[in-house]
Amino acid sequence: MTAALVDRGGPTSTVRTPSERFVRTGLLLRLMVRRERLVAAISVVVFVLLNVSTAASISSMYPTAQQRAGAAAGLGGNAAFRFLLGPLDNTDSAAALTVWRAGLFMVAALAVCVVLLVVRQTRKEEELGRAELVRAGVTGPLAPPAAAAIVATLFSVLIAAGMSVMLFPLGAGWPDVLAVFAQYATTGMAAAGVALVTAQVAKTSHIANLTAASVVLAGYLLRGSADAVGGWGWLRWLTPMGWAEMIDPFGDNNFLFALASLAVFAAGVGLAGVLATRRDMDAGLIAPRPGPASSARLSSVGLVVTRLTLPLLGSWVGVLVAYGLIVGFMQPSVDELAKGNSQFGDVVRQSGVDADLGTLFGLTMMGFFAVAASAWAVNLATRMRGEENGSRTELLLTTPTSRTRYLLDHAVLAAAGVVAIMLAAAAALTLGNGIAGGDWASAAGDTLSSAVVQIPAALVMSGIAVMLYAIRPALVPVGWLLVIAALFLGPLSGMFDLPRWARDLSPFTHTPLVPVQPMSWPPVLVMLCLAVVFTVAGWMVFRRRDIG
């Protein structure tokens, strides 16, 4: 591969001045903004809508100062909620309660989104060979990371503005709004600094994403441990997630901790710049372990596809299992909070389901896991698109491997991944529930039945993802839009009071509410048939279209 313009001994003759290292940064910046415009717009809308729905729920359930103070004594005193959301110290307004309810969790979500953006625009471009083409022109070695840092900053600021400005109508003042803005913007920028470094250190975009996202999630868990366990408060000082909490909107409004996150961003940008000028293109310290030179175990395309995809599936399962453990750990506490609380009772009655709040909570969360399982199938289709764009699919199909075998092996793997994710989620919820003191046997039966019954809806989305790839690889990103739409029209539809016809568009709306309601086979069978129809339709198109 092409060597970097600058080696360890200093700049070469092609880069003589510091300014030349940033040549064409503006052009790359415009290119990245253009490529991210759709994802950024959707992300802003999703973040703001989730915050607005949370605010609406808070305003309706806790309209008075007395009720908000009661929430501080109930919700704020629960260890599980303190672990997930932090302490609830300020209840003067609905804005304060909204920030507590959605704040740190959404801040962590923004940080992960920023990580994906930075890696997508840096290491992913290098992995696909496009960065080398860009660098072959008149482009400075620091132009790509600099442009990615600016785009990540703009993205963080945009999300922060949306999440903070909407607090004005809820009773927030300027200092509090600025503190919330600082929480989102500076934590997102700190995540960008970490991702810029991992993009330089890791050899693949998958490893870079996994490493940077693990740093963010580890910070979230350390902060949660500090809030849930007495005497562990010092853990908040270790990560930007802890610093975001210590900014303390509606309380101290301490902006010094925002400066600490900005320092992480600056350090990350600086270190990434040093690494970018001293390493070879496509090189990285953290590289995937090479496989054996030959193997008798990869005797079919199905085994090869499975071997290549298992690390990706393992990442999905690992993240969802960790989340399932947290959700399961909370479930018994949710049930306890419902006792004697008329507002929670109203929520249960409005749902139309004859069940306690803990069971209803478990059913709702299993719907979210099903949406995540369908997103895995879209991720697999995205990988298929990458294989074809890299001309590897065309090479593989020049062998005796048939198109039918190639597509159906991927479709089977997508379906198997959906099943594996749902079963792993059920096991994690059961384990978390049992550790928190719940009934092991009851939790195992309920979570397993509710997980299994969600699989057909996720398989419908999986079939659509495979069909989109089969029709045209460029259509695969539409699958992400369909997953988001299914989420809002399905598990989240109750927040927006959507009409019935709109909710019926999501396959997750038609999933029977097992075990609180009897099993209904017709919608399940219809969804399984639809999954087969979409897959077969994709197969018929894939047999005839051009590859590459």
Side-chain angles (χ1 to χ4, degrees):
M1 300 300 288
T2 303
L5 293 177
V6 180
D7 61 19
R8 187 179 299 275
T12 67
S13 59
T14 58
V15 182
R16 298 179 183 278
T17 65
S19 62
E20 290 180 353
R21 297 169 185 258
F22 294 95
V23 169
R24 300 295 185 186
T25 299
L27 183 61
L28 285 181
L29 175 62
R30 293 196 295 274
L31 175 63
M32 290 183 185
V33 169
R34 178 177 175 78
R35 295 178 59 192
E36 292 293 334
R37 66 189 189 285
L38 182 60
V39 176
I42 292 174
S43 300
V44 171
V45 170
V46 169
F47 270 79
V48 174
L49 280 179
L50 288 175
N51 217 25
V52 168
S53 65
T54 302
S57 174
I58 292 294
S59 298
S60 63
M61 294 184 66
Y62 305 101
T64 67
Q66 184 179 5
Q67 289 172 320
R68 290 193 292 273
L75 299 174
N78 186 277
F81 281 95
R82 290 176 67 87
F83 180 86
L84 285 178
L85 307 175
L88 178 54
D89 299 326
N90 307 298
T91 58
D92 296 337
S93 63
L97 207 57
T98 299
V99 168
W100 171 78
R101 176 63 183 82
L104 292 174
F105 189 81
M106 297 300 287
V107 170
L110 168 63
V112 173
C113 290
V114 170
V115 165
L116 298 179
L117 183 153
V118 170
V119 174
R120 185 165 59 242
Q121 294 296 343
T122 52
R123 177 53 75 167
K124 184 68 176 180
E125 289 297 298
E126 195 170 328
E127 188 177 351
L128 295 176
R130 292 196 286 256
E132 187 172 12
L133 292 175
V134 170
R135 289 287 305 281
V138 186
T139 306
L142 296 182
I150 296 173
V151 173
T153 301
L154 293 174
F155 180 75
S156 301
V157 169
L158 203 59
I159 296 282
M163 299 296 278
S164 56
V165 171
M166 55 85 57
L167 298 173
F168 279 120
L170 300 174
W174 271 106
D176 303 320
V177 170
L178 288 177
V180 174
F181 176 85
Q183 274 188 317
Y184 282 92
T186 60
T187 308
M189 292 173 68
V194 174
L196 284 168
V197 174
T198 61
Q200 297 296 326
V201 173
K203 185 172 171 57
T204 68
S205 58
H206 177 69
I207 296 176
N209 277 326
L210 195 61
T211 305
S214 298
V215 171
V216 173
L217 295 177
Y220 182 77
L221 295 177
L222 288 174
R223 178 219 55 79
S225 300
D227 291 330
V229 182
W232 290 15
W234 57 274
L235 291 175
R236 294 191 197 95
W237 293 81
L238 301 181
T239 69
M241 286 304 304
W243 302 336
E245 179 182 325
M246 289 191 289
I247 291 176
D248 193 16
F250 304 94
D252 294 338
N253 289 337
N254 192 337
F255 291 94
L256 289 178
F257 295 103
L259 296 179
S261 291
L262 291 179
V264 171
F265 172 68
V269 171
L271 181 57
V274 171
L275 294 173
T277 56
R278 293 178 180 272
R279 70 173 176 86
D280 290 338
M281 183 68 73
D282 200 36
L285 292 175
I286 307 175
R289 187 177 60 183
S294 62
S295 174
R297 293 180 298 177
L298 303 178
S299 56
S300 68
V301 65
L303 293 174
V304 172
V305 170
T306 302
R307 172 70 176 82
L308 294 175
T309 311
L310 274 183
L312 182 64
L313 179 59
S315 301
W316 277 86
V317 171
V319 172
L320 292 176
V321 163
Y323 188 64
L325 285 171
I326 295 174
V327 171
F329 185 74
M330 288 180 58
Q331 197 166 1
S333 303
V334 172
D335 206 19
E336 291 177 5
L337 289 172
K339 293 178 181 177
N341 191 316
S342 59
Q343 292 168 339
F344 283 125
D346 291 341
V347 171
V348 175
R349 283 190 292 275
Q350 290 171 6
S351 70
V353 178
D354 184 17
D356 56 66
L357 189 62
T359 304
L360 189 61
F361 175 75
L363 285 175
T364 303
M365 296 312 299
M366 197 56 75
F368 290 132
F369 281 113
V371 175
S374 63
W376 139 257
V378 180
N379 200 348
L380 179 62
T382 303
R383 185 183 180 89
M384 295 169 70
R385 180 193 182 194
E387 291 293 307
E388 183 166 341
N389 290 341
S391 301
R392 291 183 289 273
T393 303
E394 188 174 8
L395 287 175
L396 183 62
L397 293 178
T398 58
T399 68
T401 302
S402 69
R403 293 191 180 202
T404 299
R405 183 67 182 272
Y406 180 82
L407 187 73
L408 291 185
D409 281 345
H410 279 88
V412 169
L413 188 60
V418 167
V419 174
I421 287 174
M422 295 307 297
L423 294 180
L429 255 71
T430 302
L431 182 61
N433 192 308
I435 293 174
D439 186 341
W440 285 89
S442 175
D446 290 349
T447 55
L448 182 61
S449 59
S450 61
V452 171
V453 83
Q454 290 279 359
I455 290 175
L459 290 179
V460 171
M461 302 300 296
S462 172
I464 292 175
V466 172
M467 183 184 69
L468 289 173
Y469 163 75
I471 295 173
R472 189 178 177 184
L475 292 178
V476 169
V478 176
W480 292 111
L481 298 178
L482 294 178
V483 169
I484 294 173
L487 173 65
F488 278 94
L489 298 177
L492 294 179
S493 60
M495 294 184 177
F496 306 104
D497 195 23
L498 297 175
R500 183 68 199 182
W501 66 265
R503 286 182 287 165
D504 285 344
L505 296 176
S506 172
F508 301 101
T509 304
H510 306 283
T511 299
L513 296 175
V514 175
V516 298
Q517 289 183 349
M519 179 63 183
S520 177
W521 286 102
V524 171
L525 295 176
V526 169
M527 286 190 284
L528 289 174
C529 291
L530 284 176
V532 174
V533 167
F534 287 133
T535 304
V536 171
W539 165 67
M540 295 178 68
V541 176
F542 188 71
R543 292 171 58 199
R544 293 173 173 80
R545 78 165 170 86
D546 292 334
I547 301 296

